[in-house]
mmCIF file of all heavy atoms in Angstrom:
data_model
loop_
_atom_site.group_PDB
_atom_site.id
_atom_site.type_symbol
_atom_site.label_atom_id
_atom_site.label_comp_id
_atom_site.label_asym_id
_atom_site.label_seq_id
_atom_site.Cartn_x
_atom_site.Cartn_y
_atom_site.Cartn_z
ATOM 1 N N GLN A 10 -77.611 -57.557 -77.782
ATOM 2 C CA GLN A 10 -76.282 -57.931 -78.202
ATOM 3 C C GLN A 10 -76.241 -59.405 -78.616
ATOM 4 O O GLN A 10 -75.591 -59.792 -79.571
ATOM 5 C CB GLN A 10 -75.271 -57.634 -77.078
ATOM 6 C CG GLN A 10 -73.832 -57.868 -77.521
ATOM 7 C CD GLN A 10 -73.449 -56.979 -78.654
ATOM 8 O OE1 GLN A 10 -73.698 -55.791 -78.622
ATOM 9 N NE2 GLN A 10 -72.746 -57.583 -79.686
ATOM 10 N N LYS A 11 -76.972 -60.248 -77.822
ATOM 11 C CA LYS A 11 -77.007 -61.624 -78.182
ATOM 12 C C LYS A 11 -77.713 -61.850 -79.513
ATOM 13 O O LYS A 11 -77.232 -62.696 -80.340
ATOM 14 C CB LYS A 11 -77.780 -62.413 -77.059
ATOM 15 C CG LYS A 11 -77.802 -63.919 -77.274
ATOM 16 C CD LYS A 11 -78.511 -64.631 -76.149
ATOM 17 C CE LYS A 11 -78.501 -66.134 -76.391
ATOM 18 N NZ LYS A 11 -79.190 -66.845 -75.306
ATOM 19 N N TRP A 12 -78.744 -61.119 -79.756
ATOM 20 C CA TRP A 12 -79.437 -61.254 -81.042
ATOM 21 C C TRP A 12 -78.571 -60.738 -82.198
ATOM 22 O O TRP A 12 -78.552 -61.375 -83.289
ATOM 23 C CB TRP A 12 -80.738 -60.369 -81.005
ATOM 24 C CG TRP A 12 -81.493 -60.329 -82.274
ATOM 25 C CD1 TRP A 12 -82.290 -61.265 -82.751
ATOM 26 C CD2 TRP A 12 -81.483 -59.319 -83.221
ATOM 27 N NE1 TRP A 12 -82.811 -60.936 -84.014
ATOM 28 C CE2 TRP A 12 -82.316 -59.671 -84.310
ATOM 29 C CE3 TRP A 12 -80.784 -58.033 -83.354
ATOM 30 C CZ2 TRP A 12 -82.525 -58.913 -85.431
ATOM 31 C CZ3 TRP A 12 -81.044 -57.288 -84.468
ATOM 32 C CH2 TRP A 12 -81.873 -57.688 -85.469
ATOM 33 N N VAL A 13 -77.827 -59.641 -82.028
ATOM 34 C CA VAL A 13 -76.913 -59.178 -83.010
ATOM 35 C C VAL A 13 -75.817 -60.159 -83.345
ATOM 36 O O VAL A 13 -75.497 -60.420 -84.464
ATOM 37 C CB VAL A 13 -76.302 -57.779 -82.569
ATOM 38 C CG1 VAL A 13 -75.200 -57.409 -83.541
ATOM 39 C CG2 VAL A 13 -77.404 -56.728 -82.577
ATOM 40 N N ASP A 14 -75.274 -60.757 -82.248
ATOM 41 C CA ASP A 14 -74.194 -61.775 -82.452
ATOM 42 C C ASP A 14 -74.707 -62.976 -83.164
ATOM 43 O O ASP A 14 -74.044 -63.539 -84.023
ATOM 44 C CB ASP A 14 -73.602 -62.174 -81.080
ATOM 45 C CG ASP A 14 -72.831 -61.064 -80.386
ATOM 46 O OD1 ASP A 14 -72.436 -60.074 -81.109
ATOM 47 O OD2 ASP A 14 -72.576 -61.120 -79.216
ATOM 48 N N THR A 15 -75.922 -63.410 -82.851
ATOM 49 C CA THR A 15 -76.515 -64.577 -83.485
ATOM 50 C C THR A 15 -76.777 -64.345 -84.939
ATOM 51 O O THR A 15 -76.562 -65.099 -85.828
ATOM 52 C CB THR A 15 -77.859 -64.963 -82.797
ATOM 53 O OG1 THR A 15 -77.619 -65.280 -81.450
ATOM 54 C CG2 THR A 15 -78.503 -66.123 -83.491
ATOM 55 N N LEU A 16 -77.269 -63.129 -85.248
ATOM 56 C CA LEU A 16 -77.558 -62.690 -86.645
ATOM 57 C C LEU A 16 -76.241 -62.659 -87.420
ATOM 58 O O LEU A 16 -76.150 -63.122 -88.594
ATOM 59 C CB LEU A 16 -78.200 -61.331 -86.675
ATOM 60 C CG LEU A 16 -78.703 -60.870 -88.024
ATOM 61 C CD1 LEU A 16 -79.790 -61.787 -88.566
ATOM 62 C CD2 LEU A 16 -79.266 -59.442 -87.948
ATOM 63 N N ALA A 17 -75.179 -62.127 -86.792
ATOM 64 C CA ALA A 17 -73.913 -62.093 -87.547
ATOM 65 C C ALA A 17 -73.348 -63.514 -87.732
ATOM 66 O O ALA A 17 -72.801 -63.782 -88.865
ATOM 67 C CB ALA A 17 -72.897 -61.242 -86.708
ATOM 68 N N TRP A 18 -73.542 -64.357 -86.762
ATOM 69 C CA TRP A 18 -73.036 -65.760 -86.986
ATOM 70 C C TRP A 18 -73.859 -66.482 -88.026
ATOM 71 O O TRP A 18 -73.202 -67.174 -88.848
ATOM 72 C CB TRP A 18 -73.179 -66.505 -85.613
ATOM 73 C CG TRP A 18 -72.722 -67.913 -85.734
ATOM 74 C CD1 TRP A 18 -71.440 -68.410 -85.525
ATOM 75 C CD2 TRP A 18 -73.489 -69.096 -86.061
ATOM 76 N NE1 TRP A 18 -71.386 -69.756 -85.712
ATOM 77 C CE2 TRP A 18 -72.638 -70.176 -86.013
ATOM 78 C CE3 TRP A 18 -74.817 -69.300 -86.371
ATOM 79 C CZ2 TRP A 18 -73.077 -71.492 -86.356
ATOM 80 C CZ3 TRP A 18 -75.322 -70.558 -86.669
ATOM 81 C CH2 TRP A 18 -74.422 -71.608 -86.669
ATOM 82 N N GLU A 19 -75.143 -66.284 -88.019
ATOM 83 C CA GLU A 19 -75.964 -66.916 -89.095
ATOM 84 C C GLU A 19 -75.600 -66.379 -90.474
ATOM 85 O O GLU A 19 -75.565 -67.124 -91.428
ATOM 86 C CB GLU A 19 -77.446 -66.678 -88.837
ATOM 87 C CG GLU A 19 -77.979 -67.470 -87.590
ATOM 88 C CD GLU A 19 -79.445 -67.227 -87.382
ATOM 89 O OE1 GLU A 19 -80.006 -66.350 -88.028
ATOM 90 O OE2 GLU A 19 -80.043 -67.995 -86.543
ATOM 91 N N LYS A 20 -75.325 -65.076 -90.566
ATOM 92 C CA LYS A 20 -74.956 -64.495 -91.812
ATOM 93 C C LYS A 20 -73.605 -65.054 -92.325
ATOM 94 O O LYS A 20 -73.418 -65.391 -93.479
ATOM 95 C CB LYS A 20 -74.872 -62.953 -91.728
ATOM 96 C CG LYS A 20 -74.543 -62.244 -93.010
ATOM 97 C CD LYS A 20 -74.572 -60.762 -92.832
ATOM 98 C CE LYS A 20 -74.242 -60.070 -94.118
ATOM 99 N NZ LYS A 20 -74.227 -58.555 -93.990
ATOM 100 N N LYS A 21 -72.653 -65.185 -91.383
ATOM 101 C CA LYS A 21 -71.318 -65.762 -91.765
ATOM 102 C C LYS A 21 -71.479 -67.203 -92.106
ATOM 103 O O LYS A 21 -70.873 -67.721 -93.100
ATOM 104 C CB LYS A 21 -70.358 -65.605 -90.557
ATOM 105 C CG LYS A 21 -68.994 -66.115 -90.831
ATOM 106 C CD LYS A 21 -68.101 -65.950 -89.618
ATOM 107 C CE LYS A 21 -66.691 -66.503 -89.907
ATOM 108 N NZ LYS A 21 -65.840 -66.336 -88.714
ATOM 109 N N HIS A 22 -72.308 -67.946 -91.352
ATOM 110 C CA HIS A 22 -72.550 -69.385 -91.666
ATOM 111 C C HIS A 22 -73.199 -69.554 -93.001
ATOM 112 O O HIS A 22 -72.858 -70.516 -93.743
ATOM 113 C CB HIS A 22 -73.387 -70.003 -90.549
ATOM 114 C CG HIS A 22 -73.665 -71.397 -90.716
ATOM 115 N ND1 HIS A 22 -72.719 -72.455 -90.483
ATOM 116 C CD2 HIS A 22 -74.852 -72.102 -91.089
ATOM 117 C CE1 HIS A 22 -73.280 -73.588 -90.719
ATOM 118 N NE2 HIS A 22 -74.538 -73.467 -91.142
ATOM 119 N N HIS A 23 -74.164 -68.698 -93.286
ATOM 120 C CA HIS A 23 -74.834 -68.783 -94.597
ATOM 121 C C HIS A 23 -73.852 -68.530 -95.765
ATOM 122 O O HIS A 23 -73.877 -69.203 -96.770
ATOM 123 C CB HIS A 23 -75.967 -67.773 -94.622
ATOM 124 C CG HIS A 23 -76.728 -67.779 -95.938
ATOM 125 N ND1 HIS A 23 -77.586 -68.843 -96.319
ATOM 126 C CD2 HIS A 23 -76.803 -66.915 -96.975
ATOM 127 C CE1 HIS A 23 -78.062 -68.551 -97.515
ATOM 128 N NE2 HIS A 23 -77.635 -67.412 -97.946
ATOM 129 N N ALA A 24 -72.977 -67.544 -95.551
ATOM 130 C CA ALA A 24 -72.021 -67.208 -96.615
ATOM 131 C C ALA A 24 -71.018 -68.384 -96.793
ATOM 132 O O ALA A 24 -70.644 -68.665 -97.910
ATOM 133 C CB ALA A 24 -71.161 -65.943 -96.196
ATOM 134 N N THR A 25 -70.623 -69.007 -95.669
ATOM 135 C CA THR A 25 -69.751 -70.181 -95.811
ATOM 136 C C THR A 25 -70.420 -71.295 -96.524
ATOM 137 O O THR A 25 -69.819 -71.948 -97.367
ATOM 138 C CB THR A 25 -69.251 -70.630 -94.375
ATOM 139 O OG1 THR A 25 -68.629 -69.520 -93.705
ATOM 140 C CG2 THR A 25 -68.361 -71.833 -94.435
ATOM 141 N N ALA A 26 -71.682 -71.471 -96.151
ATOM 142 C CA ALA A 26 -72.413 -72.605 -96.844
ATOM 143 C C ALA A 26 -72.590 -72.278 -98.358
ATOM 144 O O ALA A 26 -72.507 -73.241 -99.175
ATOM 145 C CB ALA A 26 -73.798 -72.734 -96.191
ATOM 146 N N GLU A 27 -72.774 -71.049 -98.700
ATOM 147 C CA GLU A 27 -72.894 -70.690 -100.110
ATOM 148 C C GLU A 27 -71.581 -70.938 -100.861
ATOM 149 O O GLU A 27 -71.568 -71.463 -101.981
ATOM 150 C CB GLU A 27 -73.276 -69.220 -100.239
ATOM 151 C CG GLU A 27 -74.716 -68.872 -99.834
ATOM 152 C CD GLU A 27 -75.707 -69.475 -100.860
ATOM 153 O OE1 GLU A 27 -75.347 -69.594 -102.023
ATOM 154 O OE2 GLU A 27 -76.870 -69.681 -100.479
ATOM 155 N N ARG A 28 -70.451 -70.632 -100.223
ATOM 156 C CA ARG A 28 -69.126 -70.851 -100.874
ATOM 157 C C ARG A 28 -68.827 -72.347 -100.990
ATOM 158 O O ARG A 28 -68.311 -72.828 -101.997
ATOM 159 C CB ARG A 28 -68.047 -70.178 -100.015
ATOM 160 C CG ARG A 28 -68.033 -68.609 -100.116
ATOM 161 C CD ARG A 28 -66.779 -68.053 -99.566
ATOM 162 N NE ARG A 28 -66.497 -68.386 -98.163
ATOM 163 C CZ ARG A 28 -66.940 -67.582 -97.152
ATOM 164 N NH1 ARG A 28 -67.598 -66.485 -97.389
ATOM 165 N NH2 ARG A 28 -66.665 -67.969 -95.965
ATOM 166 N N LEU A 29 -69.194 -73.137 -99.929
ATOM 167 C CA LEU A 29 -69.012 -74.543 -99.993
ATOM 168 C C LEU A 29 -69.888 -75.172 -101.114
ATOM 169 O O LEU A 29 -69.332 -76.054 -101.845
ATOM 170 C CB LEU A 29 -69.330 -75.126 -98.637
ATOM 171 C CG LEU A 29 -69.219 -76.667 -98.522
ATOM 172 C CD1 LEU A 29 -67.786 -77.118 -98.823
ATOM 173 C CD2 LEU A 29 -69.571 -77.168 -97.149
ATOM 174 N N SER A 30 -71.113 -74.713 -101.169
ATOM 175 C CA SER A 30 -72.023 -75.205 -102.226
ATOM 176 C C SER A 30 -71.436 -74.903 -103.590
ATOM 177 O O SER A 30 -71.452 -75.813 -104.500
ATOM 178 C CB SER A 30 -73.388 -74.632 -102.082
ATOM 179 O OG SER A 30 -74.212 -75.033 -103.114
ATOM 180 N N ALA A 31 -70.929 -73.733 -103.776
ATOM 181 C CA ALA A 31 -70.346 -73.340 -105.040
ATOM 182 C C ALA A 31 -69.150 -74.126 -105.394
ATOM 183 O O ALA A 31 -68.868 -74.602 -106.525
ATOM 184 C CB ALA A 31 -70.051 -71.858 -105.090
ATOM 185 N N ALA A 32 -68.310 -74.412 -104.332
ATOM 186 C CA ALA A 32 -67.110 -75.214 -104.549
ATOM 187 C C ALA A 32 -67.467 -76.662 -104.961
ATOM 188 O O ALA A 32 -66.846 -77.279 -105.850
ATOM 189 C CB ALA A 32 -66.223 -75.254 -103.328
ATOM 190 N N LEU A 33 -68.463 -77.236 -104.275
ATOM 191 C CA LEU A 33 -68.861 -78.643 -104.539
ATOM 192 C C LEU A 33 -69.409 -78.796 -106.001
ATOM 193 O O LEU A 33 -69.386 -79.900 -106.548
ATOM 194 C CB LEU A 33 -69.814 -79.132 -103.533
ATOM 195 C CG LEU A 33 -69.255 -79.352 -102.091
ATOM 196 C CD1 LEU A 33 -70.346 -79.856 -101.172
ATOM 197 C CD2 LEU A 33 -68.119 -80.425 -102.139
ATOM 198 N N ASP A 34 -69.952 -77.694 -106.496
ATOM 199 C CA ASP A 34 -70.477 -77.770 -107.875
ATOM 200 C C ASP A 34 -69.314 -77.721 -108.941
ATOM 201 O O ASP A 34 -69.649 -77.967 -110.104
ATOM 202 C CB ASP A 34 -71.441 -76.550 -108.105
ATOM 203 C CG ASP A 34 -72.840 -76.855 -107.696
ATOM 204 O OD1 ASP A 34 -73.218 -78.068 -107.604
ATOM 205 O OD2 ASP A 34 -73.580 -75.867 -107.373
ATOM 206 N N GLN A 35 -68.100 -77.463 -108.531
ATOM 207 C CA GLN A 35 -67.019 -77.422 -109.448
ATOM 208 C C GLN A 35 -66.272 -78.741 -109.579
ATOM 209 O O GLN A 35 -65.449 -78.903 -110.487
ATOM 210 C CB GLN A 35 -65.999 -76.298 -109.033
ATOM 211 C CG GLN A 35 -66.653 -74.916 -108.911
ATOM 212 C CD GLN A 35 -67.248 -74.445 -110.171
ATOM 213 O OE1 GLN A 35 -66.714 -74.611 -111.275
ATOM 214 N NE2 GLN A 35 -68.491 -73.903 -110.107
ATOM 215 N N VAL A 36 -66.493 -79.701 -108.685
ATOM 216 C CA VAL A 36 -65.730 -80.937 -108.682
ATOM 217 C C VAL A 36 -66.494 -81.966 -109.521
ATOM 218 O O VAL A 36 -67.681 -81.795 -109.803
ATOM 219 C CB VAL A 36 -65.554 -81.488 -107.260
ATOM 220 C CG1 VAL A 36 -64.806 -80.510 -106.425
ATOM 221 C CG2 VAL A 36 -66.902 -81.830 -106.659
ATOM 222 N N ASP A 37 -65.778 -82.975 -110.025
ATOM 223 C CA ASP A 37 -66.376 -84.010 -110.869
ATOM 224 C C ASP A 37 -66.843 -85.164 -110.055
ATOM 225 O O ASP A 37 -67.315 -86.203 -110.592
ATOM 226 C CB ASP A 37 -65.402 -84.455 -111.906
ATOM 227 C CG ASP A 37 -64.140 -85.152 -111.339
ATOM 228 O OD1 ASP A 37 -63.968 -85.048 -110.105
ATOM 229 O OD2 ASP A 37 -63.373 -85.723 -112.098
ATOM 230 N N ILE A 38 -66.832 -85.080 -108.714
ATOM 231 C CA ILE A 38 -67.387 -86.136 -107.835
ATOM 232 C C ILE A 38 -68.862 -85.779 -107.478
ATOM 233 O O ILE A 38 -69.139 -84.649 -107.043
ATOM 234 C CB ILE A 38 -66.560 -86.210 -106.530
ATOM 235 C CG1 ILE A 38 -65.108 -86.519 -106.884
ATOM 236 C CG2 ILE A 38 -67.168 -87.223 -105.636
ATOM 237 C CD1 ILE A 38 -64.226 -86.517 -105.604
ATOM 238 N N GLY A 39 -69.759 -86.711 -107.771
ATOM 239 C CA GLY A 39 -71.148 -86.452 -107.380
ATOM 240 C C GLY A 39 -71.290 -86.507 -105.860
ATOM 241 O O GLY A 39 -70.824 -87.421 -105.276
ATOM 242 N N ILE A 40 -71.977 -85.488 -105.350
ATOM 243 C CA ILE A 40 -72.195 -85.378 -103.917
ATOM 244 C C ILE A 40 -73.627 -85.227 -103.614
ATOM 245 O O ILE A 40 -74.349 -84.367 -104.251
ATOM 246 C CB ILE A 40 -71.433 -84.171 -103.327
ATOM 247 C CG1 ILE A 40 -69.972 -84.372 -103.507
ATOM 248 C CG2 ILE A 40 -71.742 -84.054 -101.820
ATOM 249 C CD1 ILE A 40 -69.233 -85.464 -102.799
ATOM 250 N N VAL A 41 -74.207 -86.030 -102.754
ATOM 251 C CA VAL A 41 -75.547 -85.898 -102.290
ATOM 252 C C VAL A 41 -75.587 -85.949 -100.754
ATOM 253 O O VAL A 41 -74.977 -86.820 -100.138
ATOM 254 C CB VAL A 41 -76.471 -87.006 -102.843
ATOM 255 C CG1 VAL A 41 -77.870 -86.860 -102.245
ATOM 256 C CG2 VAL A 41 -76.494 -86.995 -104.314
ATOM 257 N N LEU A 42 -76.198 -84.919 -100.114
ATOM 258 C CA LEU A 42 -76.354 -84.867 -98.746
ATOM 259 C C LEU A 42 -77.778 -85.244 -98.318
ATOM 260 O O LEU A 42 -78.730 -84.571 -98.805
ATOM 261 C CB LEU A 42 -76.006 -83.489 -98.126
ATOM 262 C CG LEU A 42 -74.498 -83.049 -98.332
ATOM 263 C CD1 LEU A 42 -74.333 -81.624 -97.770
ATOM 264 C CD2 LEU A 42 -73.543 -84.056 -97.682
ATOM 265 N N LEU A 43 -77.974 -86.246 -97.498
ATOM 266 C CA LEU A 43 -79.292 -86.653 -97.079
ATOM 267 C C LEU A 43 -79.519 -86.328 -95.662
ATOM 268 O O LEU A 43 -78.599 -86.383 -94.814
ATOM 269 C CB LEU A 43 -79.465 -88.202 -97.244
ATOM 270 C CG LEU A 43 -79.198 -88.774 -98.617
ATOM 271 C CD1 LEU A 43 -79.297 -90.308 -98.545
ATOM 272 C CD2 LEU A 43 -80.138 -88.164 -99.700
ATOM 273 N N ASP A 44 -80.753 -85.993 -95.231
ATOM 274 C CA ASP A 44 -81.050 -85.694 -93.861
ATOM 275 C C ASP A 44 -81.328 -87.071 -93.152
ATOM 276 O O ASP A 44 -81.264 -88.137 -93.837
ATOM 277 C CB ASP A 44 -82.179 -84.784 -93.685
ATOM 278 C CG ASP A 44 -83.505 -85.257 -94.326
ATOM 279 O OD1 ASP A 44 -83.604 -86.433 -94.557
ATOM 280 O OD2 ASP A 44 -84.440 -84.468 -94.519
ATOM 281 N N SER A 45 -81.777 -87.043 -91.950
ATOM 282 C CA SER A 45 -82.013 -88.299 -91.183
ATOM 283 C C SER A 45 -83.175 -89.069 -91.736
ATOM 284 O O SER A 45 -83.292 -90.273 -91.388
ATOM 285 C CB SER A 45 -82.252 -87.973 -89.707
ATOM 286 O OG SER A 45 -83.324 -87.060 -89.560
ATOM 287 N N ASP A 46 -83.967 -88.453 -92.561
ATOM 288 C CA ASP A 46 -85.081 -89.159 -93.225
ATOM 289 C C ASP A 46 -84.758 -89.606 -94.636
ATOM 290 O O ASP A 46 -85.655 -89.913 -95.431
ATOM 291 C CB ASP A 46 -86.385 -88.311 -93.215
ATOM 292 C CG ASP A 46 -86.883 -88.021 -91.812
ATOM 293 O OD1 ASP A 46 -86.806 -88.952 -90.980
ATOM 294 O OD2 ASP A 46 -87.353 -86.904 -91.569
ATOM 295 N N THR A 47 -83.436 -89.543 -95.020
ATOM 296 C CA THR A 47 -82.944 -89.881 -96.314
ATOM 297 C C THR A 47 -83.533 -89.002 -97.444
ATOM 298 O O THR A 47 -83.690 -89.452 -98.550
ATOM 299 C CB THR A 47 -83.109 -91.377 -96.672
ATOM 300 O OG1 THR A 47 -84.486 -91.664 -96.912
ATOM 301 C CG2 THR A 47 -82.534 -92.292 -95.577
ATOM 302 N N ARG A 48 -83.847 -87.726 -97.099
ATOM 303 C CA ARG A 48 -84.322 -86.834 -98.118
ATOM 304 C C ARG A 48 -83.109 -85.965 -98.485
ATOM 305 O O ARG A 48 -82.340 -85.475 -97.644
ATOM 306 C CB ARG A 48 -85.434 -85.970 -97.542
ATOM 307 C CG ARG A 48 -86.053 -84.957 -98.542
ATOM 308 C CD ARG A 48 -87.261 -84.308 -97.982
ATOM 309 N NE ARG A 48 -88.378 -85.241 -97.866
ATOM 310 C CZ ARG A 48 -89.192 -85.542 -98.900
ATOM 311 N NH1 ARG A 48 -89.044 -84.981 -100.064
ATOM 312 N NH2 ARG A 48 -90.194 -86.422 -98.677
ATOM 313 N N ALA A 49 -82.901 -85.689 -99.752
ATOM 314 C CA ALA A 49 -81.734 -84.904 -100.271
ATOM 315 C C ALA A 49 -81.837 -83.480 -99.906
ATOM 316 O O ALA A 49 -82.775 -82.749 -100.331
ATOM 317 C CB ALA A 49 -81.635 -85.099 -101.765
ATOM 318 N N GLU A 50 -80.878 -83.003 -99.121
ATOM 319 C CA GLU A 50 -80.804 -81.581 -98.787
ATOM 320 C C GLU A 50 -79.885 -80.815 -99.774
ATOM 321 O O GLU A 50 -80.041 -79.626 -99.956
ATOM 322 C CB GLU A 50 -80.268 -81.427 -97.383
ATOM 323 C CG GLU A 50 -81.224 -81.946 -96.261
ATOM 324 C CD GLU A 50 -80.679 -81.643 -94.945
ATOM 325 O OE1 GLU A 50 -79.449 -81.849 -94.656
ATOM 326 O OE2 GLU A 50 -81.483 -81.256 -94.033
ATOM 327 N N PHE A 51 -79.013 -81.552 -100.417
ATOM 328 C CA PHE A 51 -78.047 -80.905 -101.379
ATOM 329 C C PHE A 51 -77.674 -81.925 -102.398
ATOM 330 O O PHE A 51 -77.320 -83.052 -102.113
ATOM 331 C CB PHE A 51 -76.849 -80.332 -100.681
ATOM 332 C CG PHE A 51 -75.740 -79.854 -101.575
ATOM 333 C CD1 PHE A 51 -75.860 -78.619 -102.269
ATOM 334 C CD2 PHE A 51 -74.695 -80.652 -101.899
ATOM 335 C CE1 PHE A 51 -74.891 -78.167 -103.076
ATOM 336 C CE2 PHE A 51 -73.664 -80.184 -102.772
ATOM 337 C CZ PHE A 51 -73.823 -78.945 -103.383
ATOM 338 N N ILE A 52 -77.717 -81.537 -103.664
ATOM 339 C CA ILE A 52 -77.270 -82.403 -104.762
ATOM 340 C C ILE A 52 -76.376 -81.537 -105.694
ATOM 341 O O ILE A 52 -76.880 -80.515 -106.192
ATOM 342 C CB ILE A 52 -78.432 -82.971 -105.558
ATOM 343 C CG1 ILE A 52 -79.342 -83.808 -104.661
ATOM 344 C CG2 ILE A 52 -77.933 -83.793 -106.735
ATOM 345 C CD1 ILE A 52 -80.607 -84.262 -105.349
ATOM 346 N N ASN A 53 -75.122 -81.891 -105.844
ATOM 347 C CA ASN A 53 -74.241 -81.007 -106.578
ATOM 348 C C ASN A 53 -74.423 -81.220 -108.145
ATOM 349 O O ASN A 53 -75.109 -82.135 -108.616
ATOM 350 C CB ASN A 53 -72.748 -81.185 -106.128
ATOM 351 C CG ASN A 53 -72.165 -82.456 -106.690
ATOM 352 O OD1 ASN A 53 -72.784 -83.383 -107.014
ATOM 353 N ND2 ASN A 53 -70.836 -82.451 -106.807
ATOM 354 N N ARG A 54 -73.690 -80.366 -108.868
ATOM 355 C CA ARG A 54 -73.830 -80.428 -110.319
ATOM 356 C C ARG A 54 -73.395 -81.661 -110.952
ATOM 357 O O ARG A 54 -74.031 -82.164 -111.936
ATOM 358 C CB ARG A 54 -73.053 -79.237 -110.852
ATOM 359 C CG ARG A 54 -73.095 -79.036 -112.415
ATOM 360 C CD ARG A 54 -74.504 -78.911 -112.921
ATOM 361 N NE ARG A 54 -75.212 -77.772 -112.157
ATOM 362 C CZ ARG A 54 -76.499 -77.602 -112.303
ATOM 363 N NH1 ARG A 54 -77.232 -78.352 -113.079
ATOM 364 N NH2 ARG A 54 -77.053 -76.584 -111.655
ATOM 365 N N ALA A 55 -72.324 -82.292 -110.458
ATOM 366 C CA ALA A 55 -71.804 -83.552 -111.078
ATOM 367 C C ALA A 55 -72.851 -84.624 -110.982
ATOM 368 O O ALA A 55 -73.065 -85.377 -111.996
ATOM 369 C CB ALA A 55 -70.521 -83.928 -110.394
#
């Protein structure tokens, strides 16, 4: 049950991240997300 709940949470989290990524690609503000080593994890379309 714990594994099933974790899988469902990860699936929901992934879907939310996909929607957020798609939304950030629609704005005219350039967005870059860096990790703690200053490597780009996300760069939007703008």
Side-chain angles (χ1 to χ4, degrees):
Q10 187 60 49
K11 183 177 181 180
W12 176 79
V13 169
D14 292 342
T15 300
L16 187 63
W18 181 87
E19 289 182 349
K20 185 177 180 180
K21 181 179 179 181
H22 180 72
H23 180 72
T25 301
E27 288 289 335
R28 289 196 298 271
L29 179 59
S30 176
L33 290 177
D34 274 335
Q35 302 302 314
V36 300
D37 62 351
I38 300 174
I40 300 292
V41 178
L42 296 180
L43 305 177
D44 62 15
S45 56
D46 295 323
T47 70
R48 183 173 290 275
E50 294 185 317
F51 172 79
I52 301 175
N53 78 334
R54 180 59 51 191

